[in-house]
Every structure is written in C-alpha cells, then in structure tokens.
C-alpha cells in the first residue's frame, strides 16, 4: 500500500533541454522509494503513442497538451503522482489543463523549469538547437516559435544554478509542503 493515495498532476514546463524530464525522473525515483504511485508522462513518448499525427502548429500543440492533461487528471484522480515534463508553450493551454483539474477537484501544480535559452542551446539534448541554427528545422520553441513562461507558477526551478538532485529536492519540498509527499 502506498504512503498516500492522494494523487496530483505536477506539470514541468520550460524550453527544450531545460531539464524537465531529467528532474521528473529523479523525483519519480525518490517518490517511488517512499512508496508513492508515480507515472511520468514524457512528451516524446506521448507524441509517439497518444498524439501521433499531430504537428507543431498552435492548434496541434494545444490538442497535445489537452490530451496529456486529460490522461494526467485521470491518473491523479486515482491516487497517482503524475509528473508531466512537457513544454506546453502556451499559457492558455496550461490554464485549460489547470481548470479541468479544478473542475474535477484534482490537485494540479505548475513548475517552471526556468533555464535560459542560452543554456538550453548548449545542453541541446536532442540536437534541436543545432538543427534550427543550421536551418534544418523551424518552429523551435523559445527560438523562432513562442514560449509563454508562467507568470506565477507554484515553483520556479533555476536548473542551471543547481544540480538535478537539488532541483528534484526543491520540487519534493513543495510536494511535502502541500501534503503530497
């Protein structure tokens, strides 16, 4: 039996290569060790399995975020801590997910992994910044496509100023403060 059956969606938003997924998996491991039910809804996996066929237009991005939000809310409503490391570049899309959670009385926390684009482009985990710079792709969030940073997230993580473990610990502290860990 889990330590707690209170589920929640924890959405980690930020630029590509900001550290969202790395932090999510670090926190997931810690939460599982403590006995929590945890799922990570990785954006790349979601695009492959749940949102195949969607492109990167504003409408398709909104649809992708709405689908992820729907699945996250279902899991969270059933006692799972759902970590969602997904860019979700538009504030209105994130707000729609927040409102759905509120309607269902399910906890939703927004975490902004606020890594500057200059740091992300050096990290360039998937080579996207290099491809964009070479003219091979366009529409890269935060470079030639918009990213609307959250104005008042539940937590802002400056991942370029601390280790992955410190970032995950800060998020764990927020969950503890909110009675979720």
């Amino acid at each position: 039996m889990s330590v707690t059956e209170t589920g929640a969606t924890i959405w980690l938003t930020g630029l590509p290569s900001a550290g969202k997924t790395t932090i999510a998996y670090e926190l997931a491991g810690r939460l599982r060790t403590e006995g929590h039910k945890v799922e990570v809804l990785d954006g790349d996996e979601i695009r492959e399995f749940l949102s195949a066929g969607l492109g990167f237009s504003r409408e398709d991005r909104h649809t992708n975020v709405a689908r992820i939000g729907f699945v996250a809310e279902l899991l969270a409503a059933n006692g799972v801590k759902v970590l969602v490391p997904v860019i979700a570049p538009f504030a209105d899309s994130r707000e729609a997910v927040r409102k759905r959670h509120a309607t269902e009385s399910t906890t939703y926390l927004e975490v902004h992994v606020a890594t500057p684009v200059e740091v992300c482009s050096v990290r360039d985990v998937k080579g996207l910044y290099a491809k964009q710079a070479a003219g091979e792709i366009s529409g890269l969030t935060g470079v030639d496509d918009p990213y609307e940073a959250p104005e008042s997230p539940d937590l802002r993580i400056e991942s370029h100023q601390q280790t992955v473990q410190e970032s995950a610990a800060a998020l764990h502290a927020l969950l503890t403060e909110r009675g979720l860990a």
Side-chain angles (χ1 to χ4, degrees):
M1 189 57 122
S2 296
V3 172
T4 178
E5 292 297 321
T6 303
T9 296
I10 302 98
W11 198 292
L12 292 88
T13 180
L15 297 174
S17 297
K20 302 175 300 296
T21 302
T22 305
I23 294 166
Y25 278 108
E26 179 72 22
L27 179 61
R30 180 171 178 181
L31 291 171
R32 286 186 183 111
T33 299
E34 295 173 355
H36 298 278
K37 293 188 288 185
V38 181
E39 290 294 335
V40 177
L41 298 182
D42 180 271
D44 293 334
E45 292 176 359
I46 295 292
R47 278 208 171 261
E48 181 179 350
F49 296 106
L50 186 64
S51 294
L54 290 180
F56 291 91
S57 68
R58 183 179 177 104
E59 183 180 332
D60 282 358
R61 288 177 189 258
H62 181 78
T63 299
N64 187 48
V65 168
R67 288 177 183 177
I68 296 168
F70 175 78
V71 172
E73 195 283 322
L74 285 176
L75 289 166
N78 285 283
V80 178
K81 306 290 187 297
V82 186
L83 304 175
V84 185
V86 173
I87 295 169
F90 301 108
D92 61 343
S93 296
R94 295 189 306 266
E95 185 57 27
V97 172
R98 179 188 297 280
K99 284 181 180 175
R100 173 175 175 71
H101 279 69
T103 299
E104 301 297 328
S105 300
T106 304
T107 301
Y108 174 87
L109 300 175
E110 184 175 73
V111 178
H112 181 206
V113 182
T115 309
V117 68
E118 298 80 15
V119 175
C120 294
S121 67
V122 170
R123 288 179 181 171
D124 204 7
V125 178
K126 299 173 196 159
L128 298 175
Y129 293 92
K131 287 180 182 176
Q132 191 278 335
E136 296 172 24
I137 62 169
S138 62
L140 181 59
T141 301
V143 178
D144 59 353
D145 213 47
Y147 175 73
E148 299 169 356
E151 291 181 17
S152 55
D154 295 283
L155 178 66
R156 192 175 314 277
I157 293 175
E158 307 278 344
S159 77
H160 58 294
Q161 296 180 351
Q162 59 192 27
T163 66
V164 172
Q165 293 76 19
E166 290 168 335
S167 295
L171 186 43
H172 189 275
L174 173 66
L175 296 178
T176 301
E177 174 187 305
R178 302 286 174 94
L180 299 166

